[in-house]
Amino acid sequence: MSFNSNILKTTRFQEIIATLAKYGLADWLQNANIESINGYLKNSSGKDLRKYSKEVRVRMAFGELGTTFIKFGQILSTRSDLIGPVMAEELSLLQSDTKADGIAKVRSKIKKEFGVKKIDEVFASFTTKPIASASIAQVHKATLHSGQEVVVKVMHEGIESKVHEDLKILAKLAKLAQLHVGSLKYAQPELLVKLFSQTMIDELDFNKELQNIQTFRKNFSTNDKVEFPEVFTEQSGKSVLTMSFLKGPSLKKVKDLDWTPEQKSQFAEESAGVFMDMMFRDSFYHADPHPGNLLIQEGEKLGIIDCGMVNKLDAKSQKIFEELIIGVAEKDAEHIKNTILGMCTFPKGTDYDTLTFQIDEFINRFLNLPLNQFDMTAAIKEVTAIIQEHHITIPPNMSNLLRVVVLLEGSSRLLNPAFNIAVLFEKYQIKIMQRRYAPHVVIKKITKNLHQWEHIAETLPKAIDKAIHKISSDNFQINMEHRNLEKSVNRIVMALISAALFLGSSLLMAFKVPPAIDGNSIIGIIGILSASILSFVLIRDIQKETKGS
């Protein structure tokens, strides 16, 4: 199949193909019949590159191709279920450090963003030397006219056009891979690149990061153990982001802390708890908790920076992850297996017997350990290796969550080598159950089910009557009585409500949901009494009718 497209003739496309060919990574394009690259594909890898593994060569090629491919590699490193743990581990080493723009370009960018002639109109002072430079932007210290010390994130000159061109090329390459590389079809490269493109476009608009920070600050406004930068909207825009400067060392420099082991352990647990709240309370979490983004503030407070990469957790993914946590905390092997298999999409020809055997063996091996010895990172890597081996796919949201858990556990172990997130899961299980069976949640579910059963009670007799007339019109002779059917359905509804109320109230009692007296949930007690009364009335009415008949 031949692809005639202007994008294939661009200098950048030729550069990308040449780089892939140099690292021995372009052989998969031979079937694409693109005349302009045949010469590149005939080139062999240099001898100096043959000693490197394929994974290393992919990393080197992505690093050489610049911002978009570095970011793409970093995103791919989160999908070990698609590319395998070895490749994911290698791509996670990609660094996004980039040569900084000169101060003239930076000043020009700021003036263009705010429509001013001099940056002095925006900032009282602005340092000429950046304190950091990454793939999309560089960061300078500055002072506002109010005297507030800030840091200013300025997008690199010309980066937007480069990224957009690369995204178009990536989309073409993904289409070629989908058509010509059978082993990649299950990974849906076109969809993967589409999702990545949206992420990159969001990162090219600093207004998105500003909104993320504002959301985090609101969600944790009552938590004095974590701090996010303050954002200054009047000095921020699409290509410039101005924030307060969070002082303090990153977790990378934890060895320099004069803390006791107990202080480090407590800080690690509290910091991990912040991310657990993000995921399960707010369904909105920072997706890149590596040590460089986590700072240690005065008063043993966690500082979190670089909020450009976030994820919103949908209800389905949140429930799946909660079920995994409950399964691990309760050491329920069957529950864990069913949850894992339930979230996966299987290709045709999946060997279910081998798959379930591998998962059973993996789960039982880990669950036989005491919870404080359960290695969550190793468990996640092993299960994703099994998933990748069978070409199974899992939802991107779940893959991102698992990656964050691995990063979080790794960062926390810099403070406390014995840190085990599985133990934190056990503690968080109680919060999950309390939230699931909180009175307002239970009442909402009961009300929803009641409306559904009321609808059934109202429509079922009519539906049956209609069906009888339909059958009768077709010359069928059916005699059927459905007297008092509505009363029977109503009783079923009452029985279900009573059972749900009793179950929910029992859980409220078990988890001591406040308000409570002597550890007994008041709402739980009221719920159990109400369920008992409902059951008694229902049984009495049934007995009366039975005696009367």
Side-chain angles (χ1 to χ4, degrees), residues 222-450:
T222 60
N223 189 331
D224 60 0
K225 291 296 183 180
V226 62
E227 183 178 3
F228 295 87
E230 180 184 356
V231 288
F232 299 89
T233 54
E234 291 186 5
Q235 290 80 23
S236 297
K238 185 178 180 181
S239 61
V240 178
L241 177 60
T242 302
M243 304 165 283
S244 60
F245 180 55
L246 296 189
K247 299 178 181 179
S250 72
L251 285 192
K252 291 180 179 179
K253 300 179 180 179
V254 68
K255 292 182 179 179
D256 299 335
L257 290 174
D258 186 22
W259 281 4
T260 64
E262 290 75 19
Q263 284 177 297
K264 291 181 180 180
S265 179
Q266 183 178 349
F267 185 84
E269 186 169 327
E270 289 175 349
S271 299
V274 167
F275 281 86
M276 297 290 281
D277 283 340
M278 288 183 190
M279 292 184 278
F280 299 112
R281 185 193 67 193
D282 307 325
S283 302
F284 180 81
Y285 62 95
H286 190 294
D288 197 20
H290 67 74
N293 287 338
L294 305 178
L295 308 180
I296 301 168
Q297 307 286 285
E298 287 185 14
E300 299 180 16
K301 180 188 293 188
L302 173 68
I304 301 179
I305 60 173
D306 198 359
C307 300
M309 188 182 291
V310 299
N311 277 314
K312 295 178 181 178
L313 198 57
D314 61 276
K316 182 179 178 181
S317 297
Q318 183 172 8
K319 189 173 188 302
I320 290 172
F321 198 38
E322 287 179 354
E323 293 300 331
L324 286 174
I325 286 179
I326 292 169
V328 170
E330 296 182 351
K331 291 198 166 187
D332 188 337
E334 192 69 18
H335 188 81
I336 296 172
K337 181 180 75 172
N338 291 337
T339 304
I340 292 172
L341 294 177
M343 72 179 178
C344 296
T345 302
F346 303 92
K348 291 181 180 179
T350 299
D351 185 349
Y352 291 102
D353 290 338
T354 301
L355 173 63
T356 53
F357 172 80
Q358 288 178 309
I359 291 179
D360 278 332
E361 191 276 334
F362 144 74
I363 292 173
N364 289 322
R365 181 159 36 85
F366 275 93
L367 290 188
N368 283 333
L369 298 170
L371 197 60
N372 61 358
Q373 295 179 24
F374 188 103
D375 191 335
M376 183 61 69
T377 298
I380 289 173
K381 288 182 178 179
E382 185 165 336
V383 77
T384 51
I386 294 172
I387 288 171
Q388 197 266 340
E389 177 188 343
H390 290 271
H391 289 179
I392 298 168
T393 55
I394 62 176
N397 252 345
M398 283 306 303
S399 180
N400 288 329
L401 265 176
L402 296 176
R403 170 184 175 270
V404 168
V405 170
V406 171
L407 281 174
L408 191 57
E409 188 167 61
S411 295
S412 299
R413 283 179 177 171
L414 292 175
L415 288 158
N416 176 16
F419 179 85
N420 191 320
I421 203 165
V423 175
L424 190 61
F425 281 174
E426 184 180 34
K427 296 178 180 179
Y428 216 89
Q429 177 203 10
I430 298 174
K431 289 187 178 181
I432 291 172
M433 300 305 290
Q434 287 177 336
R435 189 183 67 251
R436 281 191 181 183
Y437 296 101
H440 71 281
V441 176
V442 174
I443 292 170
K444 185 178 179 180
K445 288 180 179 178
I446 291 173
T447 304
K448 182 180 179 182
N449 290 332
L450 179 60

Side-chain angles (χ1 to χ4, degrees), residues 2 16 61 120 163-164 241 255 440-441 468 541:
S2 178
I16 289 169
D120 295 348
V163 168
H164 282 295
L241 177 60
K255 292 182 179 179
H440 71 281
V441 176
I468 291 171
D541 289 347

